[in-house]
Amino acid sequence: MDTKLDPSRDDLPLMANTSHMLVRHYTLDLDVDVESHVIEGTTVLFLEDENSLKKRTRSTQETCQLEAEEACRLRTPEPCRVPMTSARSFSCKVGCSDFATFGKGEKDPSAKDGNHDNQEQASGISSSKYCCDTEHHGREDFLLVLDCCDLSVLKVEEVDVAAVPGIEKLTRSPKLTGVCEELRNEIVGELVTLPAHHWREQLDYYALCSRAPGCGELFFDTDAWSLRIRKTGAQTAMDFPHAIRIWYKTKPEGQSVTWTSDQSGRPCVYTMGSPINNRALFPCQEPPVAMSTWQATVRAAASFVVLMSGENSAKPTPLREGCLSWHYYVTMPMPASTFTVAVGCWTEIKPETCSSNDLATAGPLPPSATDSRSVGICGHMEYPCRFQNTSATTQELIPHRVFAPVCLRGVCQETLVRLLPPCLSAAHSVLGTHPFSRLDILIVPANFPSLGMASPHIIFLSQSTLTGWSLCGTRLCHEIAHSWFGLAIGARDWTEEWLSEGFATHLEDIIWAEAQQLSSHEAQEQQELRACLRWHRLQDELQNSPEEMQVLRPSKEKTGHVSDSGASVVRHGLNPDKMFMQVHYLKGYFLLRFLARRLGDEAYFSFLRKFVYTFHGQLILSQNFLQMLLENIPEENRLELSVENIFQDWLESSGIPKLLQQERRRRAGAECALARRVGTEVAKWTRANRRPRRRKRGEQEDVFEKVRHRWCELIIKHKFTEAYEQVERFLQEDQAMGVYLYGELMVSEDARQQQLARRCFELAKEQMDRFSAQVVAEMLF
C-alpha cells in the first residue's frame, strides 16, 4: 500500500500490517513534561505472528466445539472457560496448581522507576527505498509496519525476554541454554496465551520482560504515517522478534494529545479522540482488528493526577522528590485507539449528603423483569470476563469517581455527582452486565471539541454538560451506553460509525427515562420530543452536507475488507468537517427506533441484551446485528424488511430513508403539537433569563437545556437581535456545542451576525482545539 496520500483525498490510512503480526500487549513507560509539552519514554510490544494465531484459533474452535457437544449430550449448560471470578478479586497465589508460581519476591511493576540509558541515541535508520512489500519473504527481510505520526523515534531494539529470572517456566525447556530467537519467541508465545485466570502473573511477567535488557538494535524507518522495523535475516513474521522496545518522544504539535490549561488556569494534557487516534502518542496498530491489552506507568510532577483507561483505581507511588508514578492496566483486549490518558491538577469531587429531592438515589434500581442472561460459551478471545461472573452480572452500581478542576467542584456536586449513580443503575437495568469493572468521569478543559468521549473505564465530559440537569443526564447516559456499544462491542470497520453512535443516541433516551423513574406515558412523551428535535436536526444536516458524507456504509459490499497485509483506509477520516457531522448519530438513531417499534420495545430490549451477551468482546459489522435482529422479528411483522433492503434504504444511500419519510409524514400532526410545546418552553426560558435568579432543579427552564442550541438557531434565523447576547454567551461558554452556530451566522449573510461570529471567534480561538478552529476559520474567512 502506498504510504503517500493523494492531497485531494481525505481518507485516513491504517498502515499496520496486521495480517502478518498482531500486538497482543503494550507496556508503556512514560514521563510527562508539561512545561516542554513532551511525553517521552518507551513502549514494549509483545507480538504474535499469523501462523501462531491460526494454530491457536483452530485449537480454541475445536475445544469450544467439543465443550458445546458435550454440554448438549448431557443436556446441561457448560460455562465459559473463563473463570467465574471477579477481575477485582483475583489472586496471583491461587489457581496455579497446573502452572508454576511466578515472580515471588520480584518488585511490583507499579513501583518501578523506569530509568533508561541514553534515550537520545538514534539508531541505524534503514533506507526509505527498502521495500514495504512483505509478500516476497524469500527475497526481502520481513517488515513490521506500525501506525505512527508526529513522533521522534530514537531507537528500536529486541528485548531479551529469556534473561528474566524464572522465565523458563513458560517454556518446554527446563533450563535456558544457548538462547536463540526461536526460544525467545516461544517464551512470548506462551506469555500472550496464558489462561485468563493467570492474568496477574501475566501482567507481572509483562512488566519483568519490559525491563529486560536489549539484545540487538533493529533497523527502522519512518514516514508521514508509519514506523517500519526490520531485522536483518528475519525473512518471515515467525523469524521476527516477538518482543521489541521502542524509545521515542512525542512532539508538541502531535495531533493525538492536547496541551492546554484547565478552567482554573493550570496546565494539563489529554488525549482528545483525534481523527488520527493514538498514533502520535505511541507507535501502535490502529486497525480495530488489532485488539490488545496494555499496562502503563506514567510519571509526572507531584502536583498532577494521572487518569487513564485502566481497571485499577491507581494510587501514586512517590519516586524522587516532587515526582509521582502512576500505574494502570487493562486485561480485556481492546483496539489501541481506545487507550486514553489525562494528566492535570484534577480534584476528586466526592458527593455531599444526598437530599431527598435528588433524582433517584444511589441505591440499586430493581432489575428488569425481562433481563435474560444465558449461560454458555463466550465468543470472544479469552480474558477475565464479567459476563461469566455471577457477582458482576448483578452489580448495578460499579465503583465510580468524578474528577474536575477545583473551580468546578460546586457545579459537579450539584449535578454530575448526584446523577452518576442512578444513570449507572439504569444502564444496568436496560442492558445488563456492566462490561467494565469501574468508571472515572473527568470534566475536561473548555477547548474539548465535543460533549463527551467514552473510553474503557473513563469518560471525558465537556463543561457544557454541567449547565443543566437534563443535558448532563442525557449526555452521561449517552457516554455510559458506549461501554456496551462502541467499546465492549466495536465496529470491525470504522466507517460503520453508526454501530457506536446510533446505538448510544437511541439508548440515551431509554436509560435517561429509567434513571428519572418516569412512567411509561412520561417516558414516551419525552422521547417523542427528542425525536422531533432530532428530525429537524437531521433535515438541516442533510441539506448542508456533501452527499458522500451522508452514507453510513460508504464501502458497501467491501465494508470490513483490508489489503493482503491488513492495511486499509477510513473513508473521509481526515475530513475536518466529519468530526462535527451528526448523520451517523441521527440516521442510526432513527433506524434503531424504527426497528424497536417494529419488534415492540419489550421484545427489542430483551433481544438487545441477548445480542450484547453474544457479541461482547468482539468486533461486528452491520449484518451481524441486522441478521440476528430479523430472526427475532415474527414473520408477520417483517413485511418487506431484509438485511439487503435496510442496507439499500438506510445505510448505503444519502438523504432521508424512504421508510423514515413515511413515518414522519404519519406523525406530522403530533409534531405540530410538540413544536407548540417547544415554543412555549422557549418563551418561558427567555423570560427567565432576562432576570437572573437561582434556578431550582426540575423547573421548566432546566428541561429546556436540551434545546438551547435549537433556540440559538431560531434567534439567528429570525434575526432576533434582542437575544444576540445569548448566542454570544453560548459561543463563548459552550465550545463543544457552539461550532455549528458559526456556520449559521455566516450563511445568513447578515453583516451584524457575521461581525458577531468573527468577534466571538477572536475571543475563543486560542482556547479552541485545532480541528474546531480550522473548521470555524474556513467558515469565517
Side-chain angles (χ1 to χ4, degrees):
M1 179 177 175
D2 187 2
T3 60
K4 293 184 179 180
L5 291 181
D6 179 349
S8 66
R9 295 183 63 84
D10 56 7
D11 296 339
L12 172 67
L14 304 179
M15 303 299 298
N17 54 344
T18 54
S19 294
H20 301 308
M21 293 197 88
L22 286 174
V23 178
R24 286 305 180 196
H25 186 81
Y26 297 90
T27 299
L28 294 155
D29 190 76
L30 305 173
D31 289 282
V32 178
D33 187 338
V34 176
E35 291 185 2
S36 62
H37 291 187
V38 168
I39 299 173
E40 183 173 3
T42 65
T43 178
V44 176
L45 278 56
F46 296 87
L47 301 146
E48 186 173 25
D49 64 82
E50 56 181 327
N51 290 334
S52 300
L53 179 61
K54 288 176 181 176
K55 289 178 184 176
R56 181 162 61 85
T57 302
R58 282 197 298 269
S59 175
T60 301
Q61 288 173 342
E62 290 169 0
T63 301
C64 289
Q65 181 65 27
L66 288 173
E67 289 176 348
E69 290 174 356
E70 181 67 9
C72 183
R73 184 180 66 82
L74 296 175
R75 296 186 179 276
T76 56
E78 186 68 23
C80 175
R81 290 177 292 109
V82 179
M84 304 286 282
T85 315
S86 169
R88 298 194 57 83
S89 65
F90 284 147
S91 168
C92 60
K93 295 183 180 179
V94 299
C96 295
S97 58
D98 58 342
F99 192 84
T101 303
F102 340 123
K104 289 186 177 179
E106 295 292 346
K107 189 176 179 182
D108 187 280
S110 63
K112 63 191 171 103
D113 59 17
N115 293 329
H116 303 292
D117 358 358
N118 197 14
Q119 295 191 10
E120 295 298 329
Q121 178 186 352
S123 141
I125 301 179
S126 68
S127 167
S128 61
K129 60 185 180 180
Y130 207 88
C131 183
C132 277
D133 181 11
T134 58
E135 299 300 320
H136 307 294
H137 295 152
R139 295 194 301 272
E140 304 283 1
D141 289 338
F142 171 77
L143 281 179
L144 175 68
V145 183
L146 301 173
D147 293 295
C148 175
C149 179
D150 294 332
L151 291 176
S152 295
V153 179
L154 308 174
K155 183 170 72 172
V156 182
E157 65 182 357
E158 180 178 359
V159 179
D160 187 8
V161 295
V164 174
I167 201 73
E168 66 273 6
K169 295 169 185 176
L170 291 178
T171 73
R172 302 180 187 89
S173 306
K175 188 175 181 181
L176 299 183
T177 58
V179 175
C180 62
E181 189 74 67
E182 184 178 351
L183 185 55
R184 293 191 192 97
N185 289 351
E186 179 190 335
I187 291 170
V188 175
E190 293 296 326
L191 178 56
V192 301
T193 56
L194 283 178
H197 59 284
H198 292 295
W199 67 273
R200 284 195 186 274
E201 295 94 330
Q202 187 181 47
L203 287 175
D204 287 344
Y205 262 118
Y206 279 137
L208 293 170
C209 288
S210 71
R211 300 199 296 272
C215 56
E217 295 188 15
L218 303 176
F219 293 97
F220 67 89
D221 186 17
T222 59
D223 59 27
W225 293 105
S226 67
L227 167 64
R228 298 173 294 177
I229 306 168
R230 69 178 177 90
K231 178 177 181 178
T232 302
Q235 297 183 339
T236 69
M238 287 183 65
D239 301 329
F240 189 82
H242 284 34
I244 62 173
R245 181 185 292 117
I246 302 171
W247 305 71
Y248 74 98
K249 58 183 178 181
T250 65
K251 297 180 180 180
E253 68 273 16
Q255 298 178 43
S256 294
V257 295
T258 296
W259 301 89
T260 186
S261 297
D262 66 17
Q263 292 84 343
S264 296
R266 297 176 177 178
C268 61
V269 60
Y270 64 94
T271 52
M272 48 78 71
S274 162
I276 68 167
N277 299 307
N278 282 324
R279 67 182 73 185
L281 176 62
F282 62 99
C284 57
Q285 292 181 328
E286 287 281 18
V289 69
M291 307 210 8
S292 59
T293 53
W294 57 75
Q295 60 195 111
T297 297
V298 177
R299 290 171 294 280
S303 58
F304 292 99
V305 172
V306 177
L307 300 175
M308 191 185 299
S309 306
E311 294 173 19
N312 58 315
S313 300
K315 302 297 181 185
T317 301
L319 297 177
R320 59 188 179 275
E321 185 178 355
C323 181
L324 296 177
S325 174
W326 304 72
H327 184 78
Y328 288 87
Y329 62 82
V330 162
T331 60
M332 176 180 175
M334 303 285 295
S337 59
T338 63
F339 177 91
T340 301
V341 64
V343 181
C345 300
W346 323 121
T347 299
E348 183 176 358
I349 313 297
K350 297 185 178 180
E352 297 177 325
T353 304
C354 293
S355 112
S356 59
N357 295 322
D358 286 342
L359 171 64
T361 67
L365 299 176
S368 171
T370 59
D371 194 1
S372 173
R373 297 187 181 89
S374 307
V375 177
I377 299 171
C378 294
H380 54 69
M381 66 179 76
E382 193 175 5
Y383 66 83
C385 178
R386 287 175 55 81
F387 285 81
Q388 290 295 328
N389 177 325
T390 304
S391 60
T393 60
T394 57
Q395 186 181 22
E396 298 183 1
L397 271 181
I398 55 175
H400 51 275
R401 305 181 298 180
V402 173
F403 291 85
V406 66
C407 65
L408 297 178
R409 180 194 298 273
V411 68
C412 284
Q413 287 178 328
E414 180 68 18
T415 53
L416 180 57
V417 171
R418 292 178 174 178
L419 281 169
L420 187 50
C423 289
L424 285 171
S425 292
H428 179 274
S429 178
V430 173
L431 293 170
T433 306
H434 285 283
F436 301 104
S437 57
R438 68 173 201 95
L439 178 65
D440 283 340
I441 308 283
L442 172 65
I443 301 299
V444 284
N447 67 341
F448 189 66
S450 66
L451 287 176
M453 183 179 78
S455 299
H457 307 281
I458 185 169
I459 288 173
F460 289 172
L461 282 183
S462 164
Q463 67 176 26
S464 300
T465 63
L466 301 177
T467 58
W469 189 255
S470 178
L471 177 60
C472 186
T474 53
R475 194 65 201 191
L476 185 57
C477 290
H478 180 102
E479 301 304 334
I480 289 173
H482 276 310
S483 292
W484 286 265
F485 292 94
L487 295 174
I489 301 174
R492 203 166 85 199
D493 188 316
W494 277 342
T495 60
E496 292 203 299
E497 190 179 348
W498 82 274
L499 289 170
S500 173
E501 298 300 351
F503 274 89
T505 304
H506 185 234
L507 286 165
E508 74 177 57
D509 291 356
I510 311 303
I511 296 172
W512 178 233
E514 181 79 12
Q516 297 172 94
Q517 298 181 340
L518 299 181
S519 67
S520 176
H521 173 73
E522 290 171 330
Q524 182 179 0
E525 188 177 64
Q526 184 182 86
Q527 290 160 21
E528 288 295 336
L529 174 59
R530 297 183 190 281
C532 178
L533 292 168
R534 289 180 180 128
W535 168 246
H536 289 291
R537 200 183 315 154
L538 177 60
Q539 287 181 306
D540 290 345
E541 177 145 315
L542 295 179
Q543 289 172 5
N544 296 285
S545 61
E547 286 192 3
E548 65 270 17
M549 296 185 69
Q550 301 174 12
V551 180
L552 304 193
R553 195 170 178 261
S555 300
K556 299 186 178 180
E557 69 277 0
K558 293 184 179 179
T559 301
H561 290 197
V562 297
S563 68
D564 290 342
S565 71
S568 62
V569 297
V570 180
R571 295 281 300 278
H572 307 299
L574 293 174
N575 190 316
D577 293 334
K578 187 174 185 296
M579 67 182 297
F580 300 108
M581 292 190 64
Q582 299 185 57
V583 65
H584 291 82
Y585 295 71
L586 299 173
K587 285 179 75 172
Y589 158 81
F590 279 112
L591 171 58
L592 294 170
R593 180 177 164 87
F594 167 78
L595 293 172
R597 290 190 170 198
R598 182 64 62 92
L599 185 59
D601 282 347
E602 183 175 348
Y604 174 79
F605 287 104
S606 177
F607 156 78
L608 205 57
R609 285 185 285 274
K610 293 176 184 176
F611 181 80
V612 166
Y613 187 90
T614 302
F615 284 100
H616 69 274
Q618 300 174 68
L619 302 173
I620 64 169
L621 297 172
S622 295
Q623 52 263 43
N624 297 123
F625 171 75
L626 295 174
Q627 286 169 354
M628 186 171 174
L629 176 69
L630 292 178
E631 289 171 1
N632 282 264
I633 295 181
E635 190 69 36
E636 62 273 14
N637 292 344
R638 285 191 205 174
L639 301 178
E640 298 180 358
L641 277 186
S642 67
V643 173
E644 293 74 19
N645 290 344
I646 295 172
F647 276 176
Q648 183 177 356
D649 191 26
W650 290 86
L651 304 182
E652 296 180 355
S653 300
S654 60
I656 295 176
K658 290 180 293 185
L659 289 174
L660 179 57
Q661 289 177 329
Q662 295 170 6
E663 179 184 340
R664 301 317 295 183
R665 286 195 201 102
R666 288 195 299 269
R667 302 191 60 78
E671 278 194 11
C672 290
L674 281 169
R676 285 193 293 272
R677 288 191 54 211
V678 171
T680 301
E681 301 301 335
V682 167
K684 288 181 180 179
W685 185 83
T686 303
R687 288 194 297 272
N689 276 271
R690 286 175 180 166
R691 52 182 193 279
R693 63 187 179 88
R694 181 178 178 85
R695 298 185 203 169
K696 296 179 181 179
R697 187 166 57 251
E699 289 186 328
Q700 293 296 329
E701 308 95 282
D702 187 65
V703 175
F704 185 68
E705 291 291 352
K706 191 65 180 176
V707 296
R708 287 178 66 218
H709 185 277
R710 182 62 179 165
W711 168 231
C712 288
E713 287 180 329
L714 293 172
I715 292 173
I716 296 167
K717 180 178 179 180
H718 297 287
K719 297 181 174 60
F720 184 28
T721 57
E722 184 181 349
Y724 278 3
E725 183 182 345
Q726 295 177 29
V727 176
E728 188 167 353
R729 186 167 67 245
F730 193 93
L731 290 173
Q732 294 298 305
E733 297 176 357
D734 296 278
Q735 292 182 30
M737 301 172 66
V739 172
Y740 309 95
L741 292 182
Y742 284 103
E744 299 294 328
L745 289 167
M746 297 307 293
V747 168
S748 70
E749 298 185 354
D750 178 87
R752 184 172 175 182
Q753 290 190 1
Q754 292 182 348
Q755 184 181 12
L756 185 154
R758 293 190 177 99
R759 183 173 66 251
C760 290
F761 180 64
E762 287 301 318
L763 293 172
K765 67 180 181 182
E766 296 302 322
Q767 293 299 316
M768 295 176 75
D769 79 282
R770 72 193 70 183
F771 300 104
S772 301
Q774 176 185 343
V775 170
V776 175
E778 290 175 354
M779 294 177 186
L780 303 186
F781 306 107

